[in-house]
Amino acid sequence: MDQIVNVNEFQGLVKQALSKMYYDFYGEGAEDQHTFEENLTPCVLLMFRFRPRVLVDVSKIDTSTRILGYPISSPIMIAPTAMHMLAHPQGETATAKAAAACNTIMIVSFMASCTIEDVASSCNAVRFLQIYQREVTAQMVKRAEKAGFKAIVLTVDVPKLGRREADIKNKLISPKLKNFEGLFSTELRPSEGSGMEAVASRGLDASFSWKDIEWLRSITKLPILVKGILTREDGKIHCCGSWCRWDSFVSNHGARQLDYSPATITVLEEVVHVVGRRVPVLLDGGIRRGTDVFKALALGAKAVLIGRPVVYGLAAKGEDGVKKVIDIPSKDEPRSHLSWSLISFGFSVASFSLLFNMDQIVNVNEFQEMAKRALPKMYYDYFYGGAEDEHTVKENVEAFHRIMFRPRVLVDVSKIDMSTSVLGYPISAPIMIAPVALLKLAHPEGEIATARAAAACNTIMIVSYMASCTIEEVASSCNAVRFLQIYVFKKHEIAQMVIRAEKAGFKAIVLTNAPRIGKREADIKNKMISPQLKNFGGLFPTEVQPIKGSGLETLSSTALDSSFGWKDIEWLRSITKLPILIKGILTREDALKAVEAGVDGIVVSNHGGRQLDYSPATITVLEEVVHVVRGRIPVLFDGGVRRGTDVFKALALGAQAVLIGRPLAYALAAKGEDGVKQGIEMLKNEFELTMALSGCPTIGDITRNHVKAEAERLHSML
């Protein structure tokens, strides 16, 4: 311990001391862990630079302050962290003793390993109790009052537990939590996902809302603090309510709830501005240096909370480790207060090995590696590849990462309704299957297996014009609602396909603009050979030998009609009574032309980055299309959706539903029909959770105000 000079050095000790399951429990964030990294990334805190003043008498530095009238030695408190006994046998009692020794406040977690009474009797530290929901809360609050706790911290961003995939993979089993004895069982079965998910399903109340604060006030005389505020709107509700007497916490739950929530330091100022001086604001999330503490205070926080680093100190060296985390003195130099290395623990996100058991797949991204192993390189590259440098392929996904949430709290989300309709056809969630060609390259049952999965998940499948299976085979396989995607082929070929689609019960035509095929260099290198396409039997040859380029290039040169223009939409409308949607719109100008042409819907799409490289990522142009359409026809979205959070972002920017392509082709390659069903259900589950954590019980509650694009984030900080 004498040789540890900063908290970063605890990392090796922690890894040695804890099992992987428990180490991952403390270190993980939700889903892609984007917010986890954003909380910690130097880029976020580097946006706030110091403007130091000189020639000021600083011979005496006073870091002391008060929280709710309780004096503490510096504006640094201990955040509520669950189950400290996983880190050290003495658990929260050791942490409380360290808090007392450092003269600071400890917020004891609702999910503590030690009882309220055990913590209270261990020392004279000032203690607050963190709580979640109603039924168990009443009993816990009474016990806290009796045990001398000084305040209640209501965590409001957990109507449901965030999706913590490391815990699911590790089959985390929570130990018995003595605080809940006689209230509900905490002895958990790993078949329930993770132990934390199971205990949350028994203990959380998704209906708890702002109106219930009055109930909480009626059962206690203790001050009530609200933890989990991330928007000016919720800050305003809090400070204007009749309960507004005490502090609020700007917190994203250590990035363990809704991924792509903003880093807390980036929204601190907007909350402080709306709250004014009426309610003190505390900051939780990403504090790793004394300089970070200073920045938070300069932006308006009264104090900061630290969580994970305290647990790492506890795991490494018990009570002494926690004390050292809070206050790391140097033997050779006097303490430099707000500039000392408070917590320089740069914890990196754990990388989890993929376990290719269906039960272990926890998000659709993981199907990709399975598909890579299952398919010949030529076919994997065909599904994966894009045009030329593949910039647009990557940007389609990465552009979503630059959109952050503005989640609302204390909304009744006990019932979430994801259902919607497209062209009048009801679907269980705004998630449809995009047209993907040649699915028999991925699995022998191809489009038939995919259609069955669509029917089982109650969604719509858009069948590709370049399908391996015939229109009639897909139609007879199940009762899924099907649209047919067509290209700008010669009019004779289009007419025949449309007539067959109508006869087979397809419900709409989706016209894709592809006057030529994009330069897909992986297909050229692999000398990709297209299999025979039965839908085209008798129309033109489809068994193509790649004399030049790839087989798909040869096929397209034979069949595509590059003269097809807006004037031909009227011809297409004349040969069918089915609704017509245009897929491939990327500009407001073409969106307006589509409306003027009388089409029935638009799909904002860049063909998965497979046509014109350096086309914009579709999510970046969605809003301009929505604005010019003005609700006259539905706008669907295609490109880069990999998470339920992405679905939510697209809907917040005006899409009616999203299309999923590559991820479901990978799922089909990995596990056939069951893989596609699992992929769709994963996205639905993530989307449902995102709705709950954003405070949106229905699709209609999702608004533009729930997201913030990168440019808006940067502008708000200027």
Side-chain angles (χ1 to χ4, degrees):
M1 282 284 284
D2 291 340
Q3 296 302 313
I4 294 178
V5 296
N6 60 65
V7 181
N8 192 49
E9 296 178 4
F10 280 116
Q11 182 172 6
L13 296 175
V14 172
K15 283 189 174 181
Q16 293 172 24
L18 296 181
S19 68
K20 182 180 184 297
M21 177 185 291
Y22 296 157
Y23 182 77
D24 288 349
F25 166 70
Y26 291 122
E28 66 152 8
E31 296 193 354
D32 297 328
Q33 307 197 78
H34 176 88
T35 298
F36 179 87
E37 293 180 336
E38 186 88 345
N39 269 353
L40 295 174
T41 182
C43 294
V44 171
L45 287 163
L46 281 173
M47 288 188 290
F48 304 99
R49 302 290 186 130
F50 290 117
R51 299 180 69 247
R53 303 300 300 275
V54 299
L55 290 177
V56 177
D57 183 354
V58 289
S59 57
K60 295 180 180 179
I61 298 290
D62 181 8
T63 61
S64 65
T65 189
R66 288 178 176 267
I67 300 294
L68 298 183
Y70 298 101
I72 54 178
S73 59
S74 66
I76 300 163
M77 299 163 56
I78 296 179
T81 309
M83 301 189 295
H84 282 198
M85 277 191 176
L86 300 184
H88 190 275
Q90 293 181 18
E92 288 80 7
T93 59
T95 309
K97 290 174 182 175
C102 295
N103 188 20
T104 192
I105 295 170
M106 176 184 179
I107 305 176
V108 179
S109 171
F110 190 71
M111 301 280 289
S113 311
C114 302
T115 67
I116 289 171
E117 294 77 13
D118 288 340
V119 177
S121 63
S122 66
C123 64
N124 63 349
V126 176
R127 302 168 303 276
F128 298 171
L129 177 67
Q130 176 236 19
I131 60 172
Y132 286 103
Q133 55 86 43
R134 185 191 294 268
E135 293 181 13
V136 179
T137 290
Q139 296 189 43
M140 295 280 278
V141 167
K142 290 175 184 176
R143 288 168 56 194
E145 283 187 333
K146 187 175 179 181
F149 280 63
K150 303 303 183 184
I152 300 299
V153 177
L154 175 65
T155 295
V156 295
D157 58 355
V158 191
K160 295 189 176 184
L161 193 72
R163 186 170 173 79
R164 303 165 191 176
E165 295 180 357
D167 292 346
I168 298 170
K169 285 180 176 291
N170 290 332
K171 297 189 181 294
L172 176 72
I173 301 177
S174 166
K176 192 173 184 180
L177 299 176
K178 292 187 285 184
N179 272 320
F180 298 147
E181 285 181 355
L183 300 178
F184 57 83
S185 172
T186 60
E187 294 184 1
L188 308 159
R189 299 181 300 276
S191 60
E192 296 177 279
S194 76
M196 294 300 294
E197 285 185 306
V199 76
S201 69
R202 299 169 198 173
L204 295 177
D205 180 1
S207 70
F208 201 99
S209 63
W210 285 108
K211 67 183 185 327
D212 295 302
I213 302 284
E214 280 304 323
W215 166 81
L216 183 57
R217 281 174 48 78
S218 74
I219 68 168
T220 183
K221 295 179 180 179
L222 293 178
I224 298 168
L225 298 83
V226 174
K227 177 177 178 284
I229 303 294
L230 286 174
T231 64
R232 66 173 66 89
E233 293 87 346
D234 283 332
K236 187 173 182 180
I237 291 174
H238 174 238
C239 75
C240 294
S242 60
W243 52 82
C244 178
R245 299 184 186 178
W246 301 293
D247 304 18
S248 62
F249 288 74
V250 174
S251 173
N252 57 29
H253 211 92
R256 294 163 70 81
Q257 282 296 103
L258 178 61
D259 200 19
Y260 297 94
S261 292
T264 47
I265 194 70
T266 66
V267 296
L268 172 60
E269 219 172 357
E270 78 169 69
V271 174
V272 169
H273 283 170
V274 76
V275 167
R277 296 186 177 182
R278 290 169 289 183
V279 178
V281 177
L282 310 181
L283 177 80
D284 171 48
I287 301 294
R288 295 299 184 264
R289 290 274 183 182
T291 50
D292 300 342
V293 181
F294 189 100
K295 291 174 182 178
L297 269 61
L299 293 172
K302 184 157 188 188
V304 302
L305 276 63
I306 53 174
R308 284 183 177 94
V310 165
V311 177
Y312 300 146
L314 178 67
K317 291 293 178 181
E319 178 185 339
D320 289 341
V322 177
K323 287 190 287 189
K324 198 153 183 107
V325 164
I326 297 171
D327 184 7
I328 303 177
S330 170
K331 286 184 176 180
D332 301 322
E333 296 178 327
R335 175 166 151 182
S336 182
H337 294 292
L338 284 179
S339 296
W340 77 88
S341 286
L342 170 67
I343 313 159
S344 56
F345 186 87
F347 187 76
S348 60
V349 177
S351 58
F352 307 113
S353 59
L354 293 175
L355 303 174
F356 295 119
N357 178 312
M358 282 286 277
D359 294 335
Q360 294 296 317
I361 295 293
V362 296
N363 62 65
V364 297
N365 293 313
E366 295 181 354
F367 281 117
Q368 184 172 346
E369 184 63 27
M370 294 181 72
K372 191 173 184 179
R373 295 187 177 199
L375 297 178
K377 183 178 185 298
M378 177 187 291
Y379 295 162
Y380 173 78
D381 287 351
Y382 166 71
F383 289 117
Y384 172 80
E388 298 187 358
D389 298 327
E390 302 186 327
H391 172 86
T392 299
V393 174
K394 302 180 184 75
E395 185 68 4
N396 270 352
V397 175
E398 291 172 2
F400 275 104
H401 299 172
R402 298 191 289 272
I403 300 172
M404 306 301 282
F405 289 114
R406 302 183 71 250
R408 302 301 301 276
V409 298
L410 287 176
V411 177
D412 183 349
V413 289
S414 54
K415 295 180 181 178
I416 298 291
D417 183 5
M418 298 184 290
S419 64
T420 189
S421 63
V422 173
L423 298 183
Y425 297 101
I427 53 178
S428 59
I431 299 168
M432 300 165 54
I433 299 178
V436 180
L438 305 173
L439 286 182
K440 277 193 175 180
L441 299 184
H443 189 275
E445 292 187 304
E447 290 80 8
I448 290 174
T450 308
R452 287 174 180 160
C457 296
N458 189 20
T459 193
I460 295 169
M461 176 183 179
I462 304 178
V463 179
S464 171
Y465 195 68
M466 302 277 288
S468 312
C469 303
T470 67
I471 291 172
E472 294 76 15
E473 287 171 342
V474 177
S476 63
S477 67
C478 62
N479 64 350
V481 176
R482 301 168 304 276
F483 298 171
L484 177 67
Q485 177 241 15
I486 60 174
Y487 285 102
V488 288
F489 284 144
K490 305 293 192 293
K491 289 183 179 179
H492 173 68
E493 287 81 5
I494 290 176
Q496 291 198 36
M497 292 286 279
V498 168
I499 292 167
R500 287 169 57 194
E502 283 188 336
K503 187 175 180 180
F506 281 66
K507 303 302 184 185
I509 300 299
V510 179
L511 177 65
T512 295
N513 177 51
R516 293 189 179 188
I517 195 168
K519 188 170 186 278
R520 304 169 192 175
E521 296 180 358
D523 292 344
I524 297 170
K525 286 179 177 290
N526 291 331
K527 298 188 181 298
M528 171 72 180
I529 301 175
S530 168
Q532 185 174 14
L533 300 175
K534 292 190 286 183
N535 273 319
F536 297 150
L539 297 178
F540 46 77
T542 61
E543 292 190 56
V544 188
Q545 293 300 320
I547 300 170
K548 179 181 179 182
S550 72
L552 291 173
E553 282 185 305
T554 310
L555 173 62
S556 69
S557 66
T558 305
L560 292 177
D561 181 2
S562 58
S563 70
F564 200 102
W566 286 108
K567 66 183 186 303
D568 296 302
I569 300 295
E570 192 56 44
W571 167 81
L572 182 58
R573 288 173 56 79
S574 73
I575 67 167
T576 182
K577 295 179 180 179
L578 293 179
I580 298 169
L581 296 87
I582 300 289
K583 178 176 178 284
I585 301 296
L586 289 173
T587 64
R588 64 173 65 89
E589 293 88 347
D590 281 339
L592 186 58
K593 281 183 175 290
V595 172
E596 292 169 347
V599 301
D600 301 284
I602 283 173
V603 183
V604 176
S605 174
N606 56 30
H607 212 91
R610 295 164 68 83
Q611 284 294 99
L612 177 61
D613 201 17
Y614 297 92
S615 293
T618 45
I619 196 66
T620 65
V621 298
L622 172 59
E623 217 172 0
E624 77 169 70
V625 171
V626 169
H627 283 171
V628 77
V629 168
R630 292 188 287 119
R632 289 174 285 182
I633 56 176
V635 176
L636 308 182
F637 176 83
D638 171 52
V641 174
R642 297 296 183 269
R643 287 280 189 180
T645 50
D646 299 340
V647 180
F648 187 102
K649 291 172 184 178
L651 266 63
L653 293 174
Q656 185 172 336
V658 304
L659 279 59
I660 311 295
R662 283 184 179 91
L664 297 183
Y666 298 145
L668 178 69
K671 291 293 179 180
E673 178 183 338
D674 288 341
V676 178
K677 287 191 289 190
Q678 187 176 1
I680 295 170
E681 290 302 324
M682 282 177 176
L683 290 168
K684 286 169 62 176
N685 291 340
E686 290 175 1
F687 177 58
E688 191 263 356
L689 181 60
T690 304
M691 289 178 66
L693 297 181
S694 297
C696 298
T698 69
I699 296 291
D701 294 312
I702 300 172
T703 70
R704 178 62 175 84
N705 204 35
H706 284 94
V707 296
K708 182 178 282 190
E710 184 177 40
E712 296 168 314
R713 292 165 56 205
L714 294 174
H715 178 74
S716 67
M717 289 182 226
L718 295 177

